[in-house]
Amino acid sequence: MAASNSSRLFKAGRSILGGLSNNSVGASRPSYDMTCMDFVSQQQRAFIQMRTNLKVVDNSGAKRVMCIQALKGRKGARLGDTIIASVKEANMGGKVKKGEVHYAVVVRAAMQRARCDGSEVQFDDNAVVLINKQGEPIGTRVFGPVPHELRRKKHIKILSLAEHMA
Amino acid sequence: MASNVLLQAPFMVPRAPKTLAFSAAVSRHPSAAALISTSCSRKLSLPKLSKSRSFVVRAEANAEVEVEDSAEAEVTQIVVASEEKSPRKPRIKLGDIMGILNKKAIEAADTERPTPDLRTGDVVEIKLSENKRRLSVYKGIVMSKQNAGIHTTIRIRRIIAGVGVEIVFPVYSPNIKEIKVLQHRKVRRARLYYLRDKLPRLSTFK
């Protein structure tokens, strides 16, 4: 969603610049502006920090969650880290209600995470799975792909529930 | 007398490599310093490695051995005539070193596993071995290729279980067991970042 927003901005900017260039004479100016815009809209994916909205991909009842604390890392949480999150939107009759505070583990992050063999992995969205203090997931199903990084972090239960492992 | 022995030594080397033992014995006889005999034997021992091929030993500090068909030895110093060598090797400049190292590393990786020619827009299948047991398979379209010598990487995109996943693979990694190009899609770009905004249908591969 964020990706399409930023690219829409870019497209809108381009059309405005296109209009300007039609009026102005210089042909070199549009190309210079284009490179500036390119640099700005070139997806700078960032850490998951306070106030980050994330999607919930288990059947615990919550739909959207806001991060209120990244437990490890000064700059924020990454793929595989645990966060403390507050439920902002929840299904009726689920295990969790709106306004509750839970631990959660990040299973998909838009920011790339490096692996020890030199490869990097990134997803299209940010998603979490709610867990309790002991690290066990509250829900019973996990949707979407999960990365191998969870194995190192000892979230074997989530890996076993997952549909697909990336 | 010592100088006489020294003079004899270079001439002994090229003429009769087979009778080395004999000449060494001969050189030990005179009561000259053991230093000379050791120097002679040292010079004689190097040609032994050649296995019936005449050598000319370059009397420099590092004592490199050059293979020569015609033996030419000066009196005071054993020098390799550089004019007889085939074209002189060009000096390796500082700026070329990384290029040469990268090329060597790529050649070494190629002998283990041949890498096909990859271009942006190829739909490839990569077999990766993790934990020495399982062989995980990754399929997808090559979004970009970053050339950096041995760390040349390709970015593969695919929709897995409804979510787009992009993975960057180092092409010459020993963990990659196989790269296979399945098909090729005509693209007019070098980097296909526009696929992130397009419909998931365009990034789905069975």
Side-chain angles (χ1 to χ4, degrees), chain B residues 70-141:
Chain B
S70 65
E72 222 180 276
E74 283 181 64
V75 177
T76 49
Q77 207 184 5
I78 304 171
V79 180
V80 174
S82 52
E83 292 83 51
E84 287 189 353
K85 255 201 293 185
S86 46
R88 192 175 167 69
K89 271 195 217 152
R91 288 198 62 190
I92 302 176
K93 301 191 183 60
L94 256 182
D96 302 337
I97 293 180
M98 277 312 286
I100 294 172
L101 285 175
N102 270 325
K103 234 190 286 191
K104 278 199 189 147
I106 291 177
E107 275 163 30
D110 259 341
T111 49
E112 285 182 29
R113 167 185 59 88
T115 311
D117 188 35
L118 292 165
R119 282 170 48 217
T120 316
D122 284 345
V123 179
V124 300
E125 186 172 351
I126 295 188
K127 287 205 169 70
L128 203 72
S129 85
E130 298 174 28
N131 308 342
K132 280 172 263 187
R133 235 179 301 125
R134 296 160 307 162
L135 209 66
S136 30
V137 176
Y138 295 97
K139 211 193 284 199
I141 186 167

Side-chain angles (χ1 to χ4, degrees), chain A residues 3-4 7 11 42-43 45 55 108 112 115 117-125 144-145 148 151 163-166, chain B residues 128 130-131 134 136 138 151 153 155 157-170 173 175 193 196-197:
Chain A
S4 50
S7 59
K11 282 178 194 146
Q42 201 38 257
Q43 316 260 345
R45 275 98 189 277
K55 201 161 72 163
R108 294 205 285 271
Q112 66 266 17
R115 292 188 170 158
D117 62 350
S119 55
E120 291 178 356
V121 124
Q122 77 182 62
F123 295 86
D124 271 1
D125 60 350
H148 285 300
R151 193 176 296 267
E163 281 179 14
H164 197 282
M165 277 179 45
Chain B
L128 203 72
E130 298 174 28
N131 308 342
R134 296 160 307 162
S136 30
Y138 295 97
H151 197 57
T153 59
R155 200 183 189 102
R157 179 180 170 83
R158 188 189 181 183
I159 304 282
I160 303 179
V163 177
V165 183
E166 290 175 18
I167 311 186
V168 172
F169 291 106
S173 157
N175 283 337
Y193 298 141
R196 292 178 188 151
D197 310 322

